[in-house]
Amino acid sequence: MLAACALLVSACKQHAAPPPNTYNNDTVAFFPVQDYLRAQIKSIDSVPYFMYRLTVTDDKKDSATITREQFNEATQVFTRFNIAEPAIKKYYSESVFGDQSTNSYTISYTTNNKDLPVQRIDVLLKPEDQKVKRIFITTMENRNDSSIVTRLGWKQNESCTINTSISHKGKNSNTQTTLVWNGQN
């Protein structure tokens, strides 16, 4: 009887999901993604840019000029999460490598914890001065019976992209919104 209980407990343990990895990175200074993006958004308010939005939902395209208020509301998604908070930081692994295909240094933050909304952040830095070229953020959320994957892209001093894919009961919907403020795209 005792052996059967031990076998049952052992079998249950084998089928339990493994706990998410944690990393001892208390002393690692993560790139200040949230602070950088907030500073970029704030600097846009100080220059009289012509701003517009390009939206593609499934196969339908639309474009429109936008106000600063609309821009600020749309870009809140970029500063919503902070992986450098001590309670969350331990679930992220940092890696840095030189990427010849993009001519940049890439700092990547990844997690295997599917309960965290931010799954990956990539910061691309210029090799000559280590200034930001681009930032990419991938988030994943489950709401009721829908799965939402958002891919965010920020191009320094030019534009940002919000690509949202929603899966709901076997149906997929994709929306890509690009906000341009420096007119170089």
Side-chain angles (χ1 to χ4, degrees):
M1 175 76 166
L2 186 58
C5 287
L7 182 60
L8 182 61
V9 169
S10 175
C12 289
K13 285 183 180 178
Q14 289 176 357
H15 294 289
N21 289 344
T22 58
Y23 303 92
N24 186 10
N25 56 19
D26 293 341
T27 59
V28 176
F30 280 10
F31 184 88
V33 173
Q34 193 177 40
D35 292 340
Y36 170 82
L37 292 170
R38 281 191 178 135
Q40 281 275 292
I41 293 166
K42 185 177 179 182
S43 74
I44 293 162
D45 277 338
S46 66
V47 178
Y49 289 121
F50 171 75
M51 296 186 284
Y52 60 97
R53 172 185 59 227
L54 305 169
T55 305
V56 179
T57 302
D58 297 319
D59 291 325
K60 297 175 187 171
K61 297 180 182 182
D62 185 36
S63 63
T65 59
I66 58 172
T67 64
R68 293 189 183 289
E69 291 77 22
Q70 290 170 317
F71 175 83
N72 288 333
E73 184 178 326
T75 56
Q76 285 180 7
V77 67
F78 284 89
T79 59
R80 195 168 137 204
F81 304 106
N82 184 1
I83 67 166
E85 292 177 8
I88 298 169
K89 183 179 179 181
K90 65 185 177 184
Y91 295 107
Y92 290 90
S93 161
E94 178 187 66
S95 64
V96 181
F97 60 94
D99 189 344
Q100 292 180 348
S101 66
T102 62
N103 188 32
S104 58
Y105 293 117
T106 301
I107 305 170
S108 292
Y109 300 98
T110 58
T111 184
N112 72 340
N113 186 339
K114 299 298 181 195
D115 293 330
L116 294 173
V118 176
Q119 292 296 299
R120 181 181 186 95
I121 296 177
D122 293 312
V123 180
L124 281 67
L125 304 174
K126 298 175 189 174
E128 60 275 4
D129 58 9
Q130 282 76 50
K131 289 189 178 179
V132 173
K133 289 172 68 171
R134 293 180 177 261
I135 294 178
F136 299 101
I137 303 170
T138 301
T139 66
M140 187 170 56
E141 298 178 76
N142 292 310
R143 292 187 196 155
N144 301 325
D145 56 354
S146 298
S147 175
I148 304 165
V149 176
T150 305
R151 290 177 179 83
L152 306 169
W154 191 276
K155 187 173 183 182
Q156 178 174 316
N157 299 325
E158 288 187 28
S159 63
C160 64
T161 302
I162 304 163
N163 188 345
T164 305
S165 299
I166 301 173
S167 296
H168 176 74
K169 296 183 180 180
K171 296 181 184 178
N172 296 326
S173 173
N174 294 302
T175 301
Q176 180 174 319
T177 301
T178 302
L179 306 174
V180 180
W181 60 88
N182 203 356
Q184 296 179 14
N185 282 355

